[in-house]
Amino acid sequence: MSDSSRRRAGRILLIGGRIILGGVFIAAGFVKLRPVVHGMPWSKASVNTSLAMFAMQVDSYQMLSSSSANLVAHALPFAELALGLWIVSGLWLAVPSLITTLILGGFLTAMIRAYALGLEINCGCFGPGEKVGPLSFVRDGAFFALSLAVTIGAFLIARKKSARESSNASTAQFEQAR
Amino acid sequence: MIQPCNINDSNEAPCSNNFLLRGKLKMPRGWSSRASVATRILGWAGLFALIAVAATAQAQKKSATTAPALKAAAASDEAPVKAIGSKSAPITMEVFSDYQCPSCRLLYEQTLKPLINEYVATGKVYLIHRDFPLPMHKYSTDAARWVNAGAKIGRYPEVEAALYDNQDAWSADGNIQKFVAAALSPADFKRAEKMVEACVADSTGIKPASLNLTPQTHECSIDEAIAKDKALGNTVPVTQTPTYRFYYKGQAYPPTPGYVSWPILKQFFDSLLNQ
């Protein structure tokens, strides 16, 4: 495979990875906000109940104080939605992908800690009903690897872009000097 | 005229002779190998992510289909013995716990006590206890027997409080009756003791002389109640204690395992009551 075709494949995969990662974050934010009981209509009250239920899942990790767990539970779903949309948009991709990598690393650490402590709690990753365990480790590990790869790709592209811009600037200076 | 070096150009000869531009315009060293590694990681991670999302969606679909069964189980249990509060309370909370489990004690001491004082006493929550003694705890079945015996004579809250308040002490030596005796009147304690001893005799085959058991009286109904709770727990399914679930306006909410602090649980109840 030539360098240019490899680069093209890399770009296509980066777009694909970006869309998957953004989609995952949008889905994660959405399922935390949707009504927890099947068939219940969406309303402000149903969102409050969903967030309160998610706060119980965050609290069950026993890592944060009640007030901090509450703050995280009320901010995280909206942050996930915003990050997901930002990643899908592709604007300054290195920034949101780095944030998602750090967030996913934090999730993975929290889950492994809970599992090591013997807390058979709900993961809370995609709504209630999913236990912390090997399946959630594999899934979040895959998301973490994907996010890391997107971040690396985004940084490489940003570096290439900045090199190209500085090349243009240097050429312009050189031309002026002549 | 020297041509500007474009990063996409394959011919680097003109710019590589220019000392001013060298390094700035060349492709970073190792770019192609790094891009290749990143490409492979992206591909594999994306594949894993897709598989994992599909597996999660399948698991949640399965969990959603069990919700009506949970609802039916709660509705069929007309008169649970181990319950506190009014049955007409808008919210029902069902807690599966083991009296020898430290997390269950923490939940009771830090969360259920204020819940009982603030929301059960005011008629907002109906609190049901379900026994789920775990095999790893040596005295948890005995403890559950004492609580069920206490419930039979209408002294469930007192016995439960006595056991959780002194969990460390009786977990060490199994002397549960000492704390139950302190929590009940002598007459009530005698009645509870007789029920528990009948079960001990039933399970061990040893009949204490003081009981004077006949085939008619030799029944262990409290073990049946424990077994019934455990069977119900297995349908949830309960994989650890404590695990709790809620019912509000005829709807079953997903079961939640682990400890929850009172401010967070209170917030959840308030969100339900404000619906």
Side-chain angles (χ1 to χ4, degrees):
Chain A
M1 195 187 264
S2 69
D3 262 9
S4 65
S5 59
R6 193 179 289 148
R7 274 201 293 274
R8 198 182 310 133
R11 275 176 190 281
I12 290 167
L13 275 171
L14 184 64
I15 291 168
R18 201 182 88 198
I19 289 168
I20 292 172
L21 192 64
V24 163
F25 265 69
I26 291 168
F30 174 78
V31 295
K32 287 180 187 100
L33 294 171
R34 75 175 177 193
V36 278
V37 174
H38 186 69
M40 184 188 278
W42 277 83
S43 65
K44 194 183 166 196
S46 81
V47 170
N48 280 338
T49 302
S50 301
L51 291 174
M53 189 117 205
F54 180 53
M56 291 202 291
Q57 286 158 12
V58 175
D59 196 36
S60 68
Y61 278 86
Q62 297 179 40
M63 282 177 77
L64 302 168
S65 65
S66 300
S67 53
S68 304
N70 209 18
L71 186 71
V72 167
H74 281 76
L76 189 64
F78 298 103
E80 284 177 332
L81 277 178
L83 272 172
L85 290 169
W86 192 358
I87 290 170
V88 168
S89 77
L91 290 169
W92 306 293
L93 184 61
V95 180
S97 61
L98 182 64
I99 297 170
T100 55
T101 305
L102 294 174
I103 288 177
L104 284 167
F107 290 164
L108 206 54
T109 309
M111 283 197 292
I112 291 170
R113 178 191 166 272
Y115 194 71
L117 290 174
L119 303 174
E120 288 182 40
I121 53 175
N122 275 345
C123 162
C125 315
F126 290 91
E130 188 208 349
K131 295 265 182 296
V132 164
L135 178 68
S136 61
F137 296 159
V138 170
R139 189 205 46 215
D140 271 43
F143 291 152
F144 179 74
L146 176 68
S147 182
L148 193 64
V150 169
T151 307
I152 291 168
F155 270 102
L156 286 175
I157 284 180
R159 190 172 158 180
K160 187 177 151 188
K161 200 174 165 187
S162 110
R164 190 185 296 147
E165 278 167 7
S166 73
S167 142
N168 291 340
S170 301
T171 309
Q173 275 180 350
F174 185 75
E175 288 292 323
Q176 271 184 350
R178 279 189 71 199
Chain B
M1 182 181 157
I2 300 169
Q3 290 295 313
C5 288
N6 190 307
I7 211 131
N8 292 320
D9 283 348
S10 55
N11 181 15
E12 293 179 34
C15 67
S16 43
N17 289 329
N18 184 331
F19 290 98
L20 286 171
L21 300 179
R22 189 190 293 168
K24 282 186 178 177
L25 303 180
K26 271 181 78 174
M27 188 82 91
R29 193 171 285 175
W31 155 264
S32 61
S33 64
R34 271 182 298 196
S36 170
V37 170
T39 301
R40 281 179 202 168
I41 293 172
L42 264 173
W44 282 108
L47 187 67
F48 271 124
L50 281 175
I51 292 167
V53 166
T56 306
Q58 189 63 30
Q60 288 196 337
K61 196 177 165 190
K62 198 178 162 190
S63 148
T65 53
T66 56
L70 303 181
K71 193 174 153 190
S76 68
D77 197 353
E78 290 297 322
V81 184
K82 297 151 287 177
I84 307 175
S86 165
K87 271 189 201 174
S88 58
I91 302 169
T92 297
M93 180 180 182
E94 192 176 30
V95 184
F96 291 86
S97 53
D98 172 329
Y99 287 103
Q100 207 180 336
C101 138
S103 289
C104 299
R105 181 187 58 184
L106 188 67
L107 183 77
Y108 179 80
E109 299 289 351
Q110 306 283 327
T111 307
L112 297 186
K113 274 186 176 175
L115 162 70
I116 291 165
N117 290 335
E118 293 177 37
Y119 277 56
V120 174
T122 53
K124 293 175 182 168
V125 175
Y126 181 48
L127 182 64
I128 304 172
H129 167 86
R130 301 282 184 207
D131 289 304
F132 205 82
L134 298 170
M136 67 168 126
H137 293 138
K138 196 175 172 186
Y139 305 115
S140 61
T141 301
D142 284 347
R145 281 174 175 155
W146 278 105
V147 173
N148 277 272
K152 283 249 178 189
I153 58 170
R155 293 283 179 265
Y156 157 67
E158 291 90 333
V159 179
E160 182 179 53
L163 293 197
Y164 276 132
D165 291 346
N166 302 287
Q167 192 194 60
D168 285 341
W170 62 260
S171 290
D173 60 6
N175 191 357
I176 301 167
Q177 56 266 49
K178 179 178 145 189
F179 300 104
V180 178
L184 300 177
S185 68
D188 282 343
F189 176 70
K190 277 273 171 209
R191 288 166 67 198
E193 189 182 36
K194 201 170 179 179
M195 278 186 260
V196 172
E197 282 183 350
C199 286
V200 173
D202 205 21
S203 59
T204 62
I206 303 161
K207 297 178 184 178
S210 62
L211 281 178
N212 191 24
L213 298 166
T214 64
Q216 285 74 34
T217 59
H218 185 197
E219 283 176 358
C220 180
S221 58
I222 54 178
D223 273 8
E224 282 171 30
I226 296 169
K228 196 177 158 195
D229 281 359
K230 251 198 129 164
L232 183 64
N234 288 329
T235 65
V236 172
V238 173
T239 55
Q240 75 149 51
T241 57
T243 293
Y244 40 89
R245 57 184 180 179
F246 309 95
Y247 300 92
Y248 179 68
K249 287 185 179 171
Q251 300 274 14
Y253 284 72
T256 308
Y259 170 76
V260 60
S261 60
W262 171 234
I264 298 280
L265 185 63
K266 184 174 181 283
Q267 176 186 252
F268 176 68
F269 288 146
D270 290 341
S271 79
L272 286 180
L273 294 168
N274 289 332
Q275 270 186 13

